[in-house]
Amino acid sequence: MVVRNGPNKHKSMHWFHAFFKSTLTAYAGATFTNIFMGRPTAMFANDIFFGACILGFVTVNFLPMDVGYHLFNTFIGEFLATVFSQIFRVGGVTGFSDAAYGMFKDSPSPYYPTPVFGPILFPSVLGNMGGFFFSGFDAYLEKGMPWLFQQGLSCSTFYHFYAHDSEGAIGQTLRGILKPVAVQVMTLLGADEKESEDDALFAKVAVGVFMLIMAIVRMPQFLGPRFSPFVTLRSMGANVFGKKKSNAAPSKAKKNKKKTQ
């Protein structure tokens, strides 16, 4: 839909061009990211991926009277596409973090008992490959950190330390704070005793809920794609500290005035 609503809005692109642009925009992460780890790409190893690309492209571009295109431009169609694509991304964040941790866990740095950057950056890159292919490197990054980078870095960081960092201070502190709440939440969701104590399972649920809520909230019908909770928090902090500084400035000026008198 990104390609059909953008560069191919008037169906002026050759179908082969449009198909591969759509495929790489949607599945660039699954196509290329595994190569960084010396693993076979999921696009070639799993027929479902490429088959889904063909099915999605035909649905959006070649159904009679453009039924598929018009359907996914309705609120219901866009909502369903948003939800299912985000569920797919949740699996990518957690699965690729697990894969990187499994590969690097036996060779952490001498400064921390758990590998830090690999299990965070690997899933973060996964979610942004499509943006690089669709917009180009400079165009994708020139306005600051894209939302998918913000989401990928924050969610993979939380998931990695909560699920994998069994010996480090960060993971132990994080679980020490959240574990009592995690057990209660998982019990309310119907988990048994073993599942309620599963740190990786709770981390997946927490990441999934956050990513799903953010995807819905950022739809054009709600807060829009420019919304970011992290930018909002930063702006609030800047306003608070900015007011404190502005309030402190007059008092210093008054003191200097009194001294001169």
Side-chain angles (χ1 to χ4, degrees):
M1 286 300 293
V2 173
V3 174
R4 181 63 199 280
N5 280 329
N8 199 31
K9 186 174 184 178
H10 303 292
K11 300 185 76 170
S12 56
M13 295 174 67
H14 189 278
W15 71 266
F16 191 70
H17 182 191
F19 172 67
F20 270 94
K21 192 173 184 70
S22 301
T23 300
L24 290 178
T25 300
Y27 285 102
T31 303
F32 296 104
T33 313
N34 267 339
I35 297 174
F36 299 155
M37 305 286 283
R39 301 174 63 184
T41 172
M43 184 62 78
F44 299 151
N46 190 335
D47 287 343
I48 294 177
F49 280 96
F50 201 74
C53 291
I54 295 173
L55 180 61
F57 183 75
V58 171
T59 300
V60 171
N61 291 277
F62 292 111
L63 289 184
M65 297 182 291
D66 258 351
V67 172
Y69 172 68
H70 293 304
L71 172 63
F72 284 104
N73 267 325
T74 63
F75 173 74
I76 294 175
E78 188 175 350
F79 181 84
L80 291 174
T82 298
V83 168
F84 284 109
S85 64
Q86 199 70 348
I87 291 172
F88 177 77
R89 287 193 182 101
V90 171
V93 168
T94 58
F96 275 64
S97 182
D98 288 340
Y101 173 70
M103 182 166 286
F104 302 136
K105 65 181 180 180
D106 295 326
S107 55
S109 76
Y111 307 105
Y112 198 77
T114 304
V116 174
F117 294 110
I120 294 172
L121 296 178
F122 189 42
S124 299
V125 171
L126 165 75
N128 287 274
M129 292 294 287
F132 285 125
F133 273 93
F134 183 78
S135 303
F137 185 85
D138 290 328
Y140 187 56
L141 300 177
E142 65 184 359
K143 295 181 180 178
M145 185 184 292
W147 165 249
L148 290 179
F149 260 118
Q150 297 177 41
Q151 177 179 260
L153 289 171
S154 59
C155 291
S156 58
T157 298
F158 170 79
Y159 177 77
H160 170 52
F161 283 116
Y162 196 92
H164 301 143
D165 188 18
S166 58
E167 300 178 18
I170 299 174
Q172 290 178 355
T173 302
L174 198 58
R175 286 187 298 275
I177 295 170
L178 295 179
K179 187 77 173 184
V181 179
V183 172
Q184 293 180 9
V185 169
M186 295 302 292
T187 302
L188 288 173
L189 292 175
D192 57 30
E193 186 176 350
K194 183 179 179 181
E195 291 172 335
S196 298
E197 296 288 338
D198 190 333
D199 294 328
L201 181 59
F202 170 74
K204 288 177 182 178
V205 171
V207 166
V209 170
F210 174 80
M211 290 178 64
L212 193 57
I213 290 174
M214 284 298 104
I216 295 171
V217 166
R218 297 181 76 253
M219 289 177 63
Q221 294 85 352
F222 299 110
L223 297 182
R226 300 184 67 177
F227 170 75
S228 166
F230 308 113
V231 174
T232 302
L233 290 173
R234 186 188 66 184
S235 300
M236 290 170 62
N239 290 334
V240 170
F241 289 111
K243 286 180 180 179
K244 286 183 178 180
K245 288 181 180 179
S246 62
N247 290 335
S251 61
K252 289 182 179 179
K254 287 180 181 178
K255 287 181 180 179
N256 293 332
K257 192 174 181 180
K258 287 181 180 179
K259 287 180 180 180
T260 55
Q261 288 175 351

